[in-house]
Amino acid sequence: MYAARALRDVDVQVTLLDRRNHHVFQPLLYQVASAALSPGDIASPIRWILRRQKNVEVLLADVQRVDPARKVVILADGEIAYDLLVLAAGATHAYFGHDDWQVMAPGLKTLEDALEIRRRVLLAYERAERENDPVRRAGLLTFVVIGGGPTGVELAGALAEISRQSLARDFRHFDPSSARIILIEAGPTILSTFPDTLREAARKDLQKLGVDVRTGKAVTGVANGRVDLGNESIAAATVLWAAGVAASPVGVTLGVPTDRVGRVIVQPDLTIPGHPDVFVIGDLASFTGANGKPLPGVAQVAIQMGRHAAENIRRAVDHQPYRPFVYKDLGNMATIGRASAIADFGWLRLKGWIGWLAWLFVHILNLIGFRNRLVVLVQWAWAYFSYQRAIRLITGRDQRETAA
Ligand SMILES: Cc1cc2nc3c(=O)[nH]c(=O)nc-3n(C[C@H](O)[C@H](O)[C@H](O)COP(=O)(O)OP(=O)(O)OC[C@H]3O[C@@H](n4cnc5c(N)ncnc54)[C@H](O)[C@@H]3O)c2cc1C
């Protein structure tokens, strides 16, 4: 989308293909999952976003593969030819060879995922209200989040807030604040991409919220109502996955080298070897940064790559050589709860309330659409001062469907 926008004044005809009709601001998906925001607050129709740009057409299309030799994109229902291609199909969750865990432990990538997670969480509380067996009730009130990166930390913090604040007075047969929220990370630390001081601050804030943070614990099994950590087994009705990513399978169809998670290894100008007419960008691209490591799968990388690919396309139109991509690191952030976040800008490190204000500012700024910004700001203000979710905590299905 940023590449398409940056081509506004270039003499090209842009066709933007996506299998969804909307753009989602993924950094706030966990707020939809935790009922702090509605889907429409963080998503906008792609054709609405680009409505004023005359040289763009937007087509709903499911891309199956690319044939760089014939210069065509093969769709589920046809083909589209191109002169220059920008491939930005992103990434999805990976279950490290345990795809069967997906049903029990959904990941968070789309609006549907967020709504499914919200449904499971709220249903667990509803079922607990009617459960007389204390052991089964404890299982219903145990929420496990697997993966201690920013998404896992944000989800765990939000789950703790739901139990300790939003639902605190809503049930008669149990105390919602007795719910256990367990965050499991296989590595030695949560938020491994942040400096030590910020990680430690985040861990303390999570613990203050009542999250049981377990590091150095690899999940060995996920079954219905249970998570295994080697010899230990945790009974948990709700298990959420925030542990691994895999690149879109469209990448490998280019027939060029990919990395361990299927990301296409791109050249310094973001094209692929042997095909100067194909750019691969964002989460689907593996690009070695100045520190010799691949750039992370974050929005800033995708946005800057999108703009750079567009700039190189402009240069191709003007018969000028491509320029290499240089990433400008603008910082790294993660939020832990209602008024706590960490932010690492390199020259400045923030935590706690100040970190949260920085987080809030950056996220409002990057939301697309004035309406979304305003609505989200009002809902956050409401949630901040009232300790309540702005959204009604409804499950979305009736008792007959949920009993199944
Ligand atoms: C829960 C979550 C939280 C995140 N939080 C942050 C954060 O706080 N900060 C940050 O910087 N980054 C965050 N990220 C990462 C950030 O969202 C991504 O790095 C960024 O969206 C990558 O952009 P992209 O364009 O490469 O891919 P995407 O944004 O994933 O876009 C890919 C697009 O391609 C479409 N598509 C995929 N396959 C096909 C196909 N076969 N045919 C047609 N269309 C297809 C999809 O529908 C989608 O619209 C988060 C990601 C997630 C999932």
Side-chain angles (χ1 to χ4, degrees):
M1 221 172 54
Y2 279 83
R5 276 173 151 189
L7 289 168
R8 171 176 287 125
D9 299 322
V10 182
D11 186 18
V12 288
Q13 191 57 45
V14 182
T15 301
L16 184 62
L17 307 175
D18 203 298
R19 62 180 169 203
R20 294 177 193 276
N21 85 331
H22 53 270
H23 157 76
V24 180
F25 187 59
Q26 292 170 14
L28 292 184
L29 268 175
Y30 85 96
Q31 294 238 335
V32 174
S34 61
L37 293 174
S38 289
D41 300 339
I42 65 159
S44 303
I46 299 170
R47 61 177 68 258
W48 175 82
I49 296 168
L50 296 166
R51 67 194 180 285
R52 294 205 182 93
Q53 194 174 328
K54 294 282 180 279
N55 68 344
V56 175
E57 64 169 347
V58 178
L59 301 179
L60 188 73
D62 185 14
V63 175
Q64 305 283 292
R65 60 195 172 87
V66 178
D67 186 340
R70 285 174 54 228
K71 295 180 72 154
V72 289
V73 174
I74 293 125
L75 313 175
D77 51 4
E79 294 191 345
I80 291 196
Y82 62 81
D83 298 313
L84 289 152
L85 176 70
V86 180
L87 195 59
T92 184
H93 347 281
Y95 286 81
F96 309 123
H98 297 281
D99 287 349
D100 52 312
W101 294 357
Q102 185 162 6
V103 187
M104 276 82 73
L108 183 59
K109 177 73 188 172
T110 62
L111 286 175
E112 290 89 339
D113 294 336
L115 292 173
E116 175 60 15
I117 290 174
R118 183 196 289 194
R119 190 182 72 81
R120 288 187 189 206
V121 170
L122 297 178
L123 270 180
Y125 284 99
E126 295 296 341
R127 287 186 179 140
E129 182 76 337
R130 292 193 54 191
E131 181 57 69
N132 295 322
D133 181 274
V135 175
R136 280 207 293 266
R137 182 186 281 163
L140 286 166
L141 294 176
T142 301
F143 300 84
V144 172
V145 179
I146 304 170
T151 300
V153 166
E154 285 165 358
L155 273 173
L159 288 173
E161 282 185 344
I162 289 180
S163 75
R164 278 41 164 182
Q165 294 162 11
S166 313
L167 295 178
R169 286 175 300 181
D170 292 6
F171 292 89
R172 299 290 170 262
H173 297 279
F174 67 92
D175 173 9
S177 64
S178 65
R180 288 170 76 204
I181 290 99
I182 305 172
L183 176 64
I184 299 172
E185 164 59 46
T189 155
I190 57 165
L191 299 170
S192 60
T193 55
F194 286 85
D196 278 351
T197 47
L198 294 185
R199 271 187 226 155
E200 202 36 47
R203 188 186 181 103
K204 280 195 185 132
D205 283 350
L206 277 174
Q207 282 166 343
K208 246 189 260 165
L209 278 171
V211 177
D212 176 0
V213 181
R214 304 203 188 172
T215 48
K217 300 269 181 198
V219 170
T220 50
V222 181
N224 209 1
R226 202 188 78 227
V227 175
D228 298 327
L229 307 170
N231 294 333
E232 186 188 355
S233 194
I234 303 171
T238 313
V239 184
L240 308 179
W241 186 260
V245 288
S248 157
V250 177
V252 294
T253 69
L254 290 169
V256 294
T258 54
D259 71 6
R260 193 173 49 84
V261 294
R263 294 184 302 176
V264 178
I265 299 171
V266 294
Q267 307 194 107
D269 58 10
L270 302 180
T271 63
I272 57 170
H275 296 283
D277 46 4
V278 178
F279 295 86
V280 180
I281 59 169
D283 283 4
L284 185 55
S286 175
F287 182 96
T288 307
N291 60 1
K293 292 188 190 155
L295 294 181
V298 295
Q300 264 308 317
V301 172
I303 290 169
Q304 291 180 33
M305 282 181 163
R307 290 183 179 140
H308 190 83
E311 170 59 16
N312 274 345
I313 290 174
R314 188 191 64 73
R315 295 180 70 81
V317 171
D318 293 345
H319 305 289
Q320 291 173 327
Y322 289 160
R323 286 216 173 114
F325 173 66
V326 180
Y327 176 55
K328 190 159 177 268
D329 190 352
L330 297 180
N332 206 358
M333 310 183 129
T335 177
I336 298 112
R338 188 174 139 271
S340 167
I342 53 173
D344 176 19
F345 300 111
W347 54 279
L348 179 69
R349 288 176 183 168
L350 303 173
K351 55 188 180 184
W353 197 72
I354 299 279
W356 183 71
L357 278 184
W359 177 89
L360 190 125
F361 178 74
V362 166
H363 285 76
I364 288 284
L365 203 70
N366 281 293
L367 262 177
I368 286 181
F370 177 73
R371 179 197 159 276
N372 284 0
R373 286 188 195 134
L374 197 68
V375 169
V376 169
L377 205 59
V378 169
Q379 297 198 352
W380 280 352
W382 163 264
Y384 182 79
F385 290 111
S386 70
Y387 284 85
Q388 287 297 311
R389 283 2 230 180
I391 308 303
R392 297 276 174 251
L393 298 172
I394 52 175
T395 59
R397 290 199 201 169
D398 77 14
Q399 208 274 333
R400 289 162 301 174
E401 292 161 292
T402 54

